[in-house]
Amino acid sequence: MIWKNVTLVIILFVIILFLCGCWDQIEIEKNAFILGIGLDKSEDGLLNITYQIAVPSGVKGESEEKKEKGNEVSSLNITIQGNNLKVSEQILASNIDRHPNYDHLKTIVFGEELSKEGLIEHVDFLFRNPSARRLTKIVVCKGDAKAIFDIKPKTANSTAQFIDSILEENSRYSVHISPLVDLTILEDQLLRKNSFILPKLELQEDTIVIQGAGLFKSDKLISWLDFREVAAIKWLKNEVDRGVIEIPSTTGQNNITIQIFNNNSKVKPIFRDDKLLFDVIIEL
């Protein structure tokens, strides 16, 4: 009888431990889901950080009457000035009635001037933040990142989702779009102090164009690459899946357009006249 009572007490104690697991839970409607972050250098040496936050009513759809009036809003942009992302997060929390949440973070855009000074001190917060998605896309833009988020794409609910979708879907089918880089890849490149490229964004007549790349040495932007140079890098690294290329016609008339279905590139180092050279073999 005593053993039965002891067993019952142990079972009740274990059950009680599992009943207190939601004390710090934040209700979903109290979260500010951040879709995109843009980082720019301010004139006084601080950071201008633009947060693109999802508006649930606009994402799930409003009444037809409101749509006809053009009042539908699916995202909200808020720009905060601060020393770093952690400080700006605290300032953001005092500007909205919700808790900043990074579970749905799609894209981080670095402005041109900030990128020339270096990225590593600004992304360290995201590397250490357990709620930041490791699959968040990283891009660099010509000019200011804030201007990128001011554009409202017609085919997506937010600018961040638009950029994320293009990189996710079209980088595999176009030789001109730089391979996507997420937080995991960027962290690996920075830790190894490698040179790397990030997809380049540019505004052309109120439209976001993703073509070419920014070339980084260690963590600093040192140059821009056009779409032809991006294609060459993808050939060398065997990262061309599909795409279209044009070659000059032997008759001097219209160029010949080739649709690529399969590709295989091999780079072989060789010594010739005491110099290290590389033979590149491309089969397509």
Side-chain angles (χ1 to χ4, degrees), residues 25-28 30-37 51-54 89 99-108 125-126 129-137 161 164 183:
Q25 180 178 350
I26 300 175
E27 298 296 333
I28 187 170
K30 294 298 182 180
N31 282 286
F33 291 108
I34 298 173
L35 302 175
I37 299 176
Y51 294 92
Q52 186 162 85
I53 302 171
E89 180 189 65
H99 178 73
N101 184 296
Y102 301 92
D103 289 346
H104 297 276
L105 183 60
K106 298 290 186 182
T107 310
I108 300 173
F125 165 76
L126 296 167
N129 192 330
S131 65
R133 295 176 66 250
R134 307 301 293 177
L135 296 179
T136 300
K137 310 297 188 301
Q161 290 171 312
D164 174 78
L183 273 178

Side-chain angles (χ1 to χ4, degrees), residues 162-279:
F162 175 77
I163 297 170
D164 174 78
S165 180
I166 289 183
L167 292 175
E168 189 71 37
E169 300 298 331
N170 295 345
S171 62
R172 295 177 296 173
Y173 303 108
S174 173
V175 296
H176 297 157
I177 298 179
S178 175
L180 61 86
V181 176
D182 57 29
L183 273 178
T184 300
I185 298 174
L186 180 63
E187 183 176 20
D188 180 68
Q189 298 292 347
L190 292 177
L191 288 175
R192 296 174 182 271
K193 297 183 179 181
N194 289 341
S195 297
F196 59 92
I197 61 175
L198 292 180
K200 183 188 75 173
L201 307 184
E202 189 173 2
L203 292 181
Q204 294 183 6
E205 299 181 357
D206 296 329
T207 301
I208 300 174
V209 177
I210 302 179
Q211 194 176 81
L215 176 61
F216 286 77
K217 183 178 182 181
S218 293
D219 68 328
K220 294 179 175 62
L221 176 67
I222 61 172
S223 183
W224 297 107
L225 305 180
D226 62 25
F227 68 91
R228 297 179 184 85
E229 292 167 318
V230 169
I233 291 175
K234 294 180 75 171
W235 288 116
L236 292 174
K237 298 178 68 176
N238 199 27
E239 292 178 344
V240 176
D241 186 11
R242 298 179 185 180
V244 175
I245 59 174
E246 284 187 310
I247 61 174
S249 170
T250 55
T251 62
Q253 298 178 353
N254 294 333
N255 290 344
I256 300 173
T257 303
I258 297 178
Q259 175 76 48
I260 303 169
F261 293 102
N262 293 290
N263 167 73
N264 184 39
S265 302
K266 296 179 181 179
V267 179
K268 181 181 178 181
I270 58 173
F271 280 99
R272 184 179 300 158
D273 298 329
D274 294 329
K275 294 181 180 180
L276 178 61
L277 305 175
F278 295 90
D279 276 345

